Amino acid sequence: QVHMVETGGGEVQTGGSLRISCLASGSTFHYYCLGWFRQPPGKEREAVAAQGFENGNTYYADSMKGRFTISRDNAKNTMYLQMNDLKPEDSAMYYCAVDTRLPCFLYGRDWDLASTYKYWGQGAQVTVSS
């Protein structure tokens, strides 16, 4: 079992930046496939970004391209989501997720499906004020 602890949420003004971190347990973090999702109030969970194992390919939802960056530090068992130029519509609960099963994102598919991931963080609230 992988335990995920998220930190770094908060409130910012439009145009501001935040970085969310997620610390994962386990000795094989470098083999984990990573995902970030978000869920605004009253809406379904949607994919934000993903990264394959061992600093693999990255994937982004269209609305986040150029503003959000997923990254990882395998030595620290930590994944990050850097969010720049935040907009009010980015306000949501953000969740980190990992999948320990390989292969993942085969042919670039299924990175944006919640069912792909086995373990989830507790969520970090991001609020962007207008």
Side-chain angles (χ1 to χ4, degrees):
Q1 291 71 41
V2 177
H3 302 282
M4 313 284 289
V5 180
E6 295 183 53
T7 58
E11 183 176 356
V12 298
Q13 296 181 355
T14 298
S17 298
L18 283 174
R19 188 180 75 163
I20 302 174
S21 301
C22 190
L23 175 65
S25 66
S27 60
T28 56
F29 180 78
H30 60 290
Y31 284 136
Y32 296 175
C33 299
L34 313 178
W36 287 99
F37 288 73
R38 70 184 186 186
Q39 188 167 21
K43 300 183 69 175
E44 294 184 347
R45 189 169 299 187
E46 63 179 347
V48 173
Q51 184 172 35
F53 69 98
E54 292 189 329
N55 300 320
N57 292 338
T58 57
Y59 308 88
Y60 296 93
D62 288 342
S63 63
M64 291 84 175
K65 289 180 180 178
R67 298 191 300 124
F68 290 12
T69 303
I70 185 172
S71 62
R72 66 198 297 164
D73 187 335
N74 291 326
K76 297 182 180 296
N77 271 34
T78 301
M79 57 190 290
Y80 306 94
L81 182 68
Q82 177 68 46
M83 300 178 286
N84 298 324
D85 192 25
L86 284 163
K87 309 176 187 299
E89 53 263 41
D90 295 319
S91 297
M93 186 73 73
Y94 284 73
Y95 298 92
C96 58
V98 304
D99 190 36
T100 60
R101 300 163 293 187
L102 297 176
C104 64
F105 313 151
L106 198 59
Y107 307 115
R109 295 182 297 183
D110 298 335
W111 67 269
D112 57 344
L113 299 180
S115 59
T116 291
Y117 304 91
K118 190 174 183 179
Y119 302 103
W120 293 80
Q122 83 279 10
Q125 181 65 50
V126 172
T127 302
V128 184
S129 60
S130 59

